[in-house]
Amino acid sequence: MLLLIAGHETTANMIALGALALLENPDQLALLRDMDDEKLVVSAMEELLRYLHIITHNGRRRVALEDIGIAGELIRAGEGLIMANDIGNRDPDAFPDPDRLDIRRDARHHVAFGFGVHQCLGRPLARLELQIVYSTLYRRIPTLRLATDLEQIPFKHDGSVYGDYELPVTW
Ligand code: HEM
């Protein structure tokens, strides 16, 4: 069950949200579509994972195994922590100008797949699927565009995985 849900809900939402983010950033979309460059597809995929961060709503829960200091705070062994990875992915010290989608930046150190022993088990498969989609969709359908206003798109504010309930497009 975990593999089915974690493996479907996540990539399905990343595909729809990533397609939307590119349509909303036509300069980035043009770069990706027109430059036949495999490296750019990879960096675009990592940047979209960072920028969209679909696992937003429940945080990563951990227990400190030993005393650690983070940003001047002492966390004692045994205390619980909730990691807001989505905020980490918008940390300007790690990603300059973090609210900008820049498919040429090196975003490989994002934490969209978590970190440590429980880091996403399916990330090689997810990366493969996303690379295929982002490199194929706009070449197959170069005139793809939204069939509604952005404000009309129903986003998933109520699930553990972020995304959109529907994405009407036309071409
Ligand atoms: C874009 C797609 C995906 C994203 C953003 C994503 C993200 C995540 C995140 C944030 C975690 C928690 C990591 C942590 O606690 O440190 C996780 C765990 C997990 N993911 Fe994914 N995931 C994706 C796709 C997949 C796929 C395709 C599969 C399986 C086919 C999968 C299977 C799992 C499993 C089994 C875990 C639990 C690992 C554990 O607790 O040891 N995920 N994923």
Side-chain angles (χ1 to χ4, degrees), residues 28 31 43-44 47 50-51 100-107:
Q28 301 294 300
L31 270 177
S43 74
E47 171 67 346
R50 175 197 76 82
Y51 183 76
R100 191 164 59 89
L101 178 72
D102 174 3
I103 65 167
R104 280 183 291 194
R105 82 163 85 222
D106 181 0

Side-chain angles (χ1 to χ4, degrees), residues 57-63 79-85:
H57 297 157
N58 47 11
R60 303 289 100 220
R61 281 154 286 172
R62 297 288 189 269
V63 174
E79 286 182 347
L81 296 133
I82 298 175
M83 309 288 182
N85 290 17

Side-chain angles (χ1 to χ4, degrees), residues 2-4 6-8 10-12 14 49 53-55 59-62 85 111-123 125-127 129-130:
L2 179 63
L3 276 177
L4 275 181
H8 174 74
T10 48
T11 36
M14 259 314 288
L49 282 163
H53 196 101
I54 54 165
I55 314 270
R60 303 289 100 220
R61 281 154 286 172
R62 297 288 189 269
N85 290 17
V111 283
F113 287 122
F115 190 79
V117 286
H118 288 288
Q119 195 175 24
C120 176
L121 191 76
R123 61 194 191 281
L125 175 62
R127 284 187 158 118
E129 287 180 37
L130 296 176

Side-chain angles (χ1 to χ4, degrees), residues 23-164:
L23 288 173
E24 287 297 303
N25 289 271
D27 57 323
Q28 301 294 300
L29 174 54
L31 270 177
L32 183 65
R33 190 185 47 218
D34 303 336
M35 287 177 68
D36 195 12
D37 180 353
E38 218 171 287
K39 280 196 196 128
L40 190 63
V41 173
V42 173
S43 74
M45 175 209 47
E46 299 294 354
E47 171 67 346
L48 285 163
L49 282 163
R50 175 197 76 82
Y51 183 76
L52 297 168
H53 196 101
I54 54 165
I55 314 270
T56 52
H57 297 157
N58 47 11
R60 303 289 100 220
R61 281 154 286 172
R62 297 288 189 269
V63 174
L65 295 179
E66 55 188 62
D67 289 359
I68 46 172
I70 299 179
E73 295 292 325
L74 174 66
I75 292 146
R76 297 187 193 284
E79 286 182 347
L81 296 133
I82 298 175
M83 309 288 182
N85 290 17
D86 46 339
I87 296 173
N89 274 346
R90 296 285 179 119
D91 179 352
D93 290 340
F95 307 100
D97 197 4
D99 296 334
R100 191 164 59 89
L101 178 72
D102 174 3
I103 65 167
R104 280 183 291 194
R105 82 163 85 222
D106 181 0
R108 278 173 301 177
H109 51 300
H110 67 70
V111 283
F113 287 122
F115 190 79
V117 286
H118 288 288
Q119 195 175 24
C120 176
L121 191 76
R123 61 194 191 281
L125 175 62
R127 284 187 158 118
L128 188 65
E129 287 180 37
L130 296 176
Q131 280 174 51
I132 293 168
V133 170
Y134 299 144
S135 64
T136 313
L137 182 62
Y138 306 99
R139 280 189 208 138
R140 292 263 178 92
I141 317 174
T143 55
L144 190 77
R145 61 184 196 283
L146 275 187
T148 183
D149 293 334
L150 185 62
E151 295 71 39
Q152 303 301 319
I153 295 172
F155 289 101
K156 293 181 181 173
H157 297 293
D158 51 353
S160 59
V161 178
Y162 192 60
D164 37 33

